[in-house]
Amino acid sequence: MGMLKCTLIYLATLTALIGLVSCAGVQDTTANASLQSASSGGGVHSSVSPRAVDVQPFTMVRGVGVLPGRIGERTTVGDITMGYVTLNPPPEALFTEAIKSELSAAGHNVTGGQTKVSGVVERFALSTPATATYWDVTIDAALKVTVGGTTRAYSDVCVSRTYVWPSDKMIADLSSKCVSGIARRFAGDRSIANAL
């Protein structure tokens, strides 16, 4: 009898959740992320005498037909889509500014110079796997940065659990946190410091 009661409660909860979501309807949305300043204090790059570097706008690998800034979709129980999410500014702009910020914090001039810095966002994918009680908002990010002739790859999977609908603000904050974490790895990379 106890198992039947638990099953009925679960089904009632699931039905209510699906009903709530279907009332809201499928809606595309935009998450407005903040460009964060450097948090590493320049890392190992500050051990290199100040340089003038040319940080070129980063690019992003996108599938055919994928709109700029679109990072994924919010889903609910049963992997039902509730609309696409666009990140503003897009991931490549966030990473460009984060890397510039780290280099500036290390004392380097990022407005032009002989050493070229370029980057490609290879992945920045949002997913929101859901259970009957919570969502794990997940950003899977990968960045490749080239400084002079040295190329390094960085990646991270950032997760934040929520017991309420994943808001635009939550997605934006997690995106900024993930970008900042990867930028800190860049700032701590000795091989990049040697390439400046």
Side-chain angles (χ1 to χ4, degrees):
M1 187 63 160
M3 183 65 156
L4 178 60
K5 185 176 180 182
C6 287
T7 302
L8 291 174
I9 291 171
Y10 175 79
L11 289 174
T13 303
L14 184 60
T15 302
L17 187 63
I18 290 171
L20 176 66
V21 167
S22 64
C23 288
V26 176
Q27 287 186 329
D28 292 349
T29 188
T30 299
N32 294 306
S34 302
L35 296 173
Q36 298 188 349
S37 58
S39 56
S40 69
V44 298
H45 302 167
S46 58
S47 65
V48 177
S49 60
R51 304 275 200 271
V53 295
D54 180 14
V55 180
Q56 301 168 338
F58 289 7
T59 60
M60 182 165 177
V61 175
R62 286 194 175 84
V64 175
V66 176
L67 297 175
R70 182 164 288 171
I71 59 173
E73 58 187 333
R74 282 188 285 207
T75 56
T76 189
V77 177
D79 205 27
I80 298 168
T81 185
M82 296 311 298
Y84 289 104
V85 177
T86 299
L87 189 63
N88 180 46
E92 61 271 31
L94 287 171
F95 275 116
T96 302
E97 292 308 311
I99 296 304
K100 277 184 175 181
S101 183
E102 292 293 349
L103 289 167
S104 294
H108 304 295
N109 181 339
V110 296
T111 58
Q114 264 192 315
T115 303
K116 304 286 185 203
V117 178
S118 61
V120 177
V121 181
E122 297 185 314
R123 188 172 62 252
F124 202 89
L126 166 72
S127 60
T128 60
T131 69
T133 55
Y134 63 84
W135 286 264
D136 280 335
V137 179
T138 304
I139 301 286
D140 180 6
L143 174 70
K144 190 177 284 185
V145 182
T146 300
V147 176
T150 301
T151 299
R152 299 283 287 157
Y154 311 95
S155 63
D156 201 359
V157 176
C158 306
V159 181
S160 183
R161 180 165 288 180
T162 179
Y163 294 89
V164 296
W165 180 243
S167 68
D168 293 349
K169 182 178 184 327
M170 180 182 193
I171 292 168
D173 289 348
L174 184 62
S175 297
S176 296
K177 178 182 170 189
C178 213
V179 167
S180 294
I182 288 175
R184 279 193 303 275
R185 289 184 190 174
F186 167 85
D189 193 330
R190 177 63 64 187
S191 63
I192 291 293
N194 294 337
L196 287 171

